[in-house]
Amino acid sequence: MKRGSTREKRGAVLGIVLFGLIMLACTISFWALCLIPDLPLWLFILFAVCGVFCIGLMFPALWALKGRFQEIDSLKDTNTVTLYKEENSMLLVNIDYIPGKEFEVLGMAKGTVVQSKNFGKDFMAGMKTLVGGEITGYTEMLNEARQIAVKRMVDEAEGLGADAVVNIRYGSSAVMQGAAEVIAYGTAVRFK
């Protein structure tokens, strides 16, 4: 297993542990509220449901952790070096022509990914905004997202039978706090 994937798994587990501690604190707080003497029944029911809901939130969080582990395991063979191999197997340019080559246009090729960091990285990024400077966790996230988007764009271009992708562009947008979408797109072409 690659060192990076172990670090990513540790980070994901840390995020779940922090989330679990917050949910446990909420559950204990709601349970303590249920123990107030002469509490109206409707408030008791409300607090009990909120406490159960907090515990119940751990199930989708653990399911997400399982999915992240599978994602990390599937990417452990596609480290940075192999993600860049797409740039060696297919000509990728951000101009709308290839000097000395004639080609036919096959259509648009695109690749997109929505990437996020774990709760622990988001928390540390928030702390970093207090003092300023580069938030390396997000820089790594966006670099990885761009690599994945390019790989998916190349896969789509290969499916069209392309020899190259011209006029490549990148786009990025915030989908939610801590998550960004990165898209790579261009025109798939075949040499004549």
Side-chain angles (χ1 to χ4, degrees):
M1 182 182 305
K2 302 277 189 257
R3 182 173 165 78
S5 63
T6 302
R7 189 176 68 222
E8 286 292 321
K9 284 184 177 182
R10 262 192 233 131
V13 169
L14 176 65
I16 289 295
V17 167
L18 290 173
F19 180 74
L21 290 173
I22 291 170
M23 291 300 102
L24 181 62
C26 289
T27 302
I28 290 170
S29 298
F30 283 123
W31 188 249
L33 288 171
C34 287
L35 298 177
I36 295 174
D38 300 325
L39 185 70
L41 181 61
W42 70 273
L43 273 178
F44 176 83
I45 292 171
L46 177 67
F47 294 149
V49 167
C50 288
V52 169
F53 180 72
C54 288
I55 293 287
L57 283 177
M58 284 306 296
F59 292 108
L62 290 172
W63 182 70
L65 178 66
K66 178 185 172 213
R68 178 63 178 149
F69 276 12
Q70 291 170 344
E71 180 182 307
I72 291 168
D73 288 340
S74 72
L75 289 176
K76 74 180 175 186
D77 295 328
T78 56
N79 58 20
T80 307
V81 175
T82 55
L83 282 173
Y84 283 124
K85 81 174 173 61
E86 274 72 28
E87 296 175 16
N88 295 329
S89 67
M90 180 173 290
L91 184 58
L92 304 174
V93 295
N94 67 347
I95 55 178
D96 57 358
Y97 64 94
I98 300 171
K101 296 280 188 180
E102 288 188 35
F103 52 79
E104 64 176 297
V105 174
L106 301 174
M108 181 188 266
K110 64 199 164 309
T112 186
V113 64
V114 176
Q115 195 90 349
S116 73
K117 281 296 185 189
N118 60 59
F119 180 77
K121 293 266 187 183
D122 277 343
F123 179 76
M124 293 310 293
M127 295 296 105
K128 181 73 172 187
T129 60
L130 294 174
V131 295
E134 180 183 7
I135 302 173
T136 55
Y138 286 132
T139 302
E140 292 168 3
M141 176 190 77
L142 288 172
N143 282 333
E144 181 182 338
R146 269 190 296 276
Q147 292 168 357
I148 293 169
V150 167
K151 181 179 182 335
R152 290 178 180 172
M153 177 187 66
V154 168
D155 290 345
E156 188 171 308
E158 286 174 346
L160 294 171
D163 295 317
V165 181
V166 298
N167 205 23
I168 294 176
R169 300 290 182 254
Y170 294 98
S172 176
S173 64
V175 176
M176 57 185 275
Q177 184 175 352
E181 175 197 31
V182 174
I183 184 169
Y185 59 95
T187 304
V189 298
R190 183 177 327 156
F191 298 139
K192 290 184 178 182

